[in-house]
Amino acid sequence: MSAALLEALRAAVGPAQVLTPDAQDLSAYEEDWRKRERGHALAVVRPANTDEVAAVVRACAQAGASLVPQGGNTGLVVGSTPDASGTQVVLSLQRMNRVLALDAANLSVAVQAGCVLQQVQAAAREAGFLFPLSLAAEGSCTIGGNLATNAGGTQVLRYGNARDLCLGLEVVTAQGEVWQALSGLRKDNTGYDLRDLFIGSEGTLGVITAATLKLYPQPKSQVTAWASVADVHAAIGLLGLAQRQLGAGLTGFELMNRFALQLVAKHYPQLRIPLIDALAPYFVLMELSSSQDSAAAQAQLEDVLGEAMEADTVADCVVAQSVSQSREMWHVRESIPLAQADEGLNIKHDISVATSRIAEFCARTDALLAQRIPGVRLVNFGHLGDGNLHYNVQVPEGGDGAAFLREHEKTVNTLVYDSVAEHGGSISAEHGIGSLKAMSLPQYKSPVALQLMRAIKLALDPAGTLNPGRVLGPATPGH
């Protein structure tokens, strides 16, 4: 079966684009970004266009082989790498990286799924527009993966998740058929919204091969500020004030705890971290995008911060005086995940809680973890403006990271997820479920929701060809 399948794959995409473990090193495709798991693929197939993707899917379906779609392989929940069986085919979309068409009048751009996010941002910028999806992995993550996981990032507060930025899709189904809906319409009320069905499905319902994305006018100016606050309550107070005074101009509002920034200072001493010498436990990075000139926008942001300082909501603050200073501030924020990785293995969480309950969640969960694991270090940072925190748990100082994960990961996850549930939140805000959280999902998702999700999977992929074991976990009889 394997030999016949390999021949069919070579016929579909050409021999040079079918990589096998006996001839090539496949580690870049087989290991997840966090280096938590390493699988073994039967082959890695690299199609050049949608027809080739469809042919690959048909070949796998006919052979009864499962297929794992993969973009930039930057996911954080082990959702795009093969299992250890050596029987799965990795479908890499990285060669499908063309910008297809930019429609200035429609404020849209159509791109292939393998386009790197930064490439799409640049194409929009060169045409005088903005594509606002922005995240730390934007230099390597791809649009197909962004949509398959409904990625969030730093500007969700103003522009929404990847789902909100997508006008249309092209998808190859589990049977190898092509659904093409790239017209870029903002209104199409002709039945079920298939686009939203495939976005966020993590490659389990279909393979996204192209997308039409929303563009926005470039703001005339962007002004960034960094503030120290006494606690999460104060940060939420500042957020509310900024939303009232700045409205839709508030495009970024990030929360970072002190320990997160101490890790950045430790591992990247060349970076200048504003107010790091202050003894504040939390810091906020906020950005105003405006149709006014820089001076007027800066004055508007300074007025908000001045009011916050008078009310003792903000202890201290600094406003970037140039584009380069603004970029330095954002670079510090984006370096937190890298610094945490340099510090050693850790337990990551990507949770969301209603903004009104975040302070309560943090206080409660911090206390529970400190009680359960004395000396545990919390790296708490994220997109406070939309209620999404990366509430990560680091081994106590001097401890062994691998041993910490073996001994405490299940306990920590249960504690954090239970607290999230108690506060009405979600265990995954923007990273997805993958295989890492698939076994936890039934404990925190409505049985009715899970039943509906399994019914959709069964209807669209009855043979379980696409990314099995992801999101809903191992297949059960009849599902």
Side-chain angles (χ1 to χ4, degrees), residues 160-323:
N161 292 311
R163 181 188 307 279
D164 303 294
L165 297 170
C166 181
L167 293 170
L169 292 177
E170 179 183 78
V171 175
V172 173
T173 71
Q175 294 72 39
E177 299 175 329
V178 179
W179 172 59
Q180 211 270 26
L182 294 173
S183 60
L185 300 178
R186 283 169 170 77
K187 289 185 175 180
D188 181 4
N189 203 5
T190 53
Y192 304 134
D193 194 335
L194 300 178
R195 174 196 61 187
D196 271 0
L197 193 61
F198 291 108
I199 295 173
S201 67
E202 301 185 44
T204 62
L205 302 180
V207 180
I208 296 172
T209 52
T212 299
L213 307 169
K214 292 180 184 178
L215 299 178
Y216 293 83
Q218 280 280 1
K220 190 172 183 180
S221 61
Q222 289 179 296
V223 184
T224 308
W226 187 286
S228 60
V229 293
D231 50 33
V232 180
H233 279 290
I236 293 171
L238 176 59
L239 172 63
L241 174 63
Q243 288 173 322
R244 292 190 298 273
Q245 301 285 33
L246 305 177
L250 183 65
T251 50
F253 198 96
E254 300 288 304
L255 181 72
M256 303 157 285
N257 77 346
R258 183 171 182 78
F259 179 61
L261 295 178
Q262 287 174 330
L263 287 183
V264 175
K266 175 181 177 180
H267 294 283
Y268 304 103
Q270 72 277 16
L271 297 182
R272 293 187 298 176
I273 304 176
L275 309 178
I276 191 61
D277 293 331
L279 297 178
Y282 279 94
F283 299 82
V284 166
L285 174 61
M286 55 191 295
E287 186 163 88
L288 167 64
S289 298
S290 177
S291 58
Q292 304 179 86
D293 61 31
S294 295
Q298 183 170 324
Q300 189 179 10
L301 188 55
E302 288 174 347
D303 285 345
V304 170
L305 291 167
E307 185 174 340
M309 292 187 74
E310 288 179 6
D312 291 328
T313 301
V314 166
D316 200 358
C317 63
V318 59
V319 178
Q321 299 299 305
S322 65
V323 173

Side-chain angles (χ1 to χ4, degrees), residues 441-454:
L441 189 63
Q443 302 170 53
Y444 304 100
K445 195 77 174 176
S446 151
V448 174
L450 289 169
Q451 180 183 349
L452 292 171
M453 290 164 67
R454 292 190 182 104

